[in-house]
Amino acid sequence: MSDWIANRRVLAAFGDPAGAKAVLAYLSAYGRAAATITAVSDRKHGFYEDFDCKVQPWPARAAQDWLKDKDILLTGTSVPTGLELELIESAARVEVPSISFVDHWTNMAARFQSGARRILPDRIAVIDEQAGRVAHREGLPAERVCVVGNPYHEYLRAWRPKVAMEGFLASIGVDPAVPYLLYAPEPLSSFNLDKTYGFDELDGLRLLIKARRARGRGDVAIVVKGHPNQHHALFERELAATAEQNLVYVREADFNLLAHGAAAVIGFFSNSMIEARLLGRPVIRLLSLLRAGAADPLAGWREGGWTEVYTDHELVDALAAALDDIRKN
């Protein structure tokens, strides 16, 4: 894939965190082939520091000015849509080719929809053949879709912590001496997806607390990692109102480090579940809450390796197994 940017002046643009990671990982792997790289985002994410690429704020200037003297545009994709579509449309006007990374199997067409208009890049880079089939079903033109994998997945396979875990955990209010479960849900309520799936992120936390109590493991902490699109007050009010101990809500922290130290990473459908597996961590997916007939958005992930729980009893057993494993290690 290095030939996409070889000897070219690159503009990279992204908003959504998963799209940003795909683009930045691609540039980390192949960026040396480019003539120059300019990166811009309408969001700020802590993981930018993990990549050797300065990210400038959007909109410091107009879209056409960002594209001046550029040979190619690389973008992530966002739902709801963001700066990527404005730049893709501007790139087409000035005949700058564009490539967009799609990091999931869901909302393929929605990522390129602005009101009644569909705005497409020259290439749509998807993660696997299943994603390609979904793209075709949703009406994206086959000649623009190419299967390339997700560059961030390859980055994660080689990832290792660069800081001491004890200091990192203490800095975010987590006792390094206490084993913890990492709850990393997507912000279902932020996008009214609770109506689609039949539950929201608070339901998952309550289920997890119930299972911890049933196992008699109040000594094990539950660390809740807020998604970048999460309405943080939702969780903060919930934790403030409960008498449960060893509950910590973290708005912003390095997910890879949090997952690395966890007995297990727990959630539903987000990319965090895949990322935790690629980091070699046990993953428990709470599917007992899923409304009958609702599709599992991660059904396209073929590598598996996680535990899917469909009953309260299965969750208790999965937590016990994860905690037993961390004691052995």
Side-chain angles (χ1 to χ4, degrees):
M1 292 194 294
S2 62
D3 59 317
W4 289 355
I5 60 173
N7 302 313
R8 293 184 174 185
R9 296 164 295 182
V10 178
L11 176 63
F14 37 79
D16 180 81
K21 289 174 180 177
V23 175
L24 288 170
Y26 171 83
L27 293 175
S28 178
Y30 302 110
R32 285 186 294 275
T36 63
I37 297 172
T38 302
V40 60
S41 179
D42 56 0
R43 304 277 296 276
K44 289 182 68 175
H45 300 297
F47 59 78
Y48 290 164
E49 299 175 2
D50 297 339
F51 301 92
D52 187 21
C53 183
K54 180 183 178 182
V55 180
Q56 300 182 50
W58 167 277
R61 51 187 185 270
Q64 61 267 26
D65 293 333
W66 284 106
L67 288 158
K68 186 177 180 181
D69 299 326
K70 297 298 185 291
D71 301 311
I72 189 166
L73 169 67
L74 300 180
T75 82
T77 52
S78 298
V79 180
T81 55
L83 80 163
E84 298 97 337
L85 294 190
E86 184 175 346
L87 282 165
I88 290 169
E89 190 169 43
S90 293
R93 291 196 198 103
V94 296
E95 299 183 340
V96 171
S98 56
I99 302 173
S100 294
F101 289 92
V102 179
D103 54 83
H104 211 277
W105 301 267
T106 57
N107 300 309
M108 290 281 186
R111 297 167 189 263
F112 303 104
Q113 201 72 29
S114 177
R117 296 184 304 131
R118 178 168 286 183
I119 301 171
L120 295 176
D122 296 293
R123 288 191 188 181
I124 301 169
V126 300
I127 54 180
D128 58 17
E129 296 291 345
Q130 170 68 9
R133 288 190 289 271
V134 173
H136 299 160
R137 282 202 303 270
E138 294 192 11
L140 297 179
E143 66 274 12
R144 299 199 187 202
V145 176
C146 56
V147 176
V148 301
N150 187 332
Y152 189 60
H153 291 176
E154 299 311 310
Y155 171 88
L156 286 176
R157 294 181 201 277
W159 181 90
R160 298 293 183 274
K162 297 179 181 178
V163 301
M165 286 299 299
E166 292 81 2
F168 164 71
L169 292 173
S171 73
I172 59 173
V174 178
D175 186 344
V178 175
Y180 67 91
L181 304 164
L182 177 60
Y183 179 50
E186 52 269 73
L188 299 175
S189 62
S190 297
F191 300 106
N192 294 317
L193 291 174
D194 47 329
K195 296 179 175 61
T196 300
Y197 298 118
F199 65 95
D200 67 14
E201 55 269 42
L202 287 184
D203 294 323
L205 176 61
R206 291 163 185 157
L207 185 64
L208 186 54
I209 290 171
K210 178 182 175 183
R212 182 181 69 168
R213 192 184 302 132
R215 193 66 192 175
R217 293 306 307 267
D219 59 314
V220 174
I222 297 174
V223 177
V224 183
K225 167 64 175 68
H227 188 279
N229 295 325
Q230 182 69 57
H231 296 314
H232 298 297
L234 184 75
F235 273 114
E236 290 168 346
R237 285 194 300 266
E238 180 79 4
L239 267 63
T242 183
E244 290 285 331
Q245 300 298 306
N246 279 335
L247 290 176
V248 180
Y249 183 72
V250 181
R251 286 192 174 203
E252 179 66 44
D254 187 308
F255 173 79
N256 295 350
L257 285 171
L258 275 174
H260 177 74
V265 181
I266 301 163
F268 309 115
F269 323 117
S270 78
N271 275 322
S272 296
M273 302 299 98
I274 294 173
E275 292 169 10
R277 279 305 304 142
L278 293 172
L279 290 168
R281 304 311 304 145
V283 171
I284 301 170
R285 296 185 58 219
L286 303 178
L287 299 181
S288 58
L289 297 170
L290 187 61
R291 171 180 289 149
D296 175 3
L298 288 187
W301 178 247
R302 300 306 182 193
E303 294 190 31
W306 45 47
T307 300
E308 297 177 351
V309 298
Y310 295 92
T311 67
D312 291 359
H313 180 72
E314 288 178 353
L315 177 56
V316 171
D317 287 348
L319 294 184
L323 293 168
D324 285 345
D325 285 345
I326 204 168
R327 275 200 298 270
K328 292 173 186 175
N329 296 329

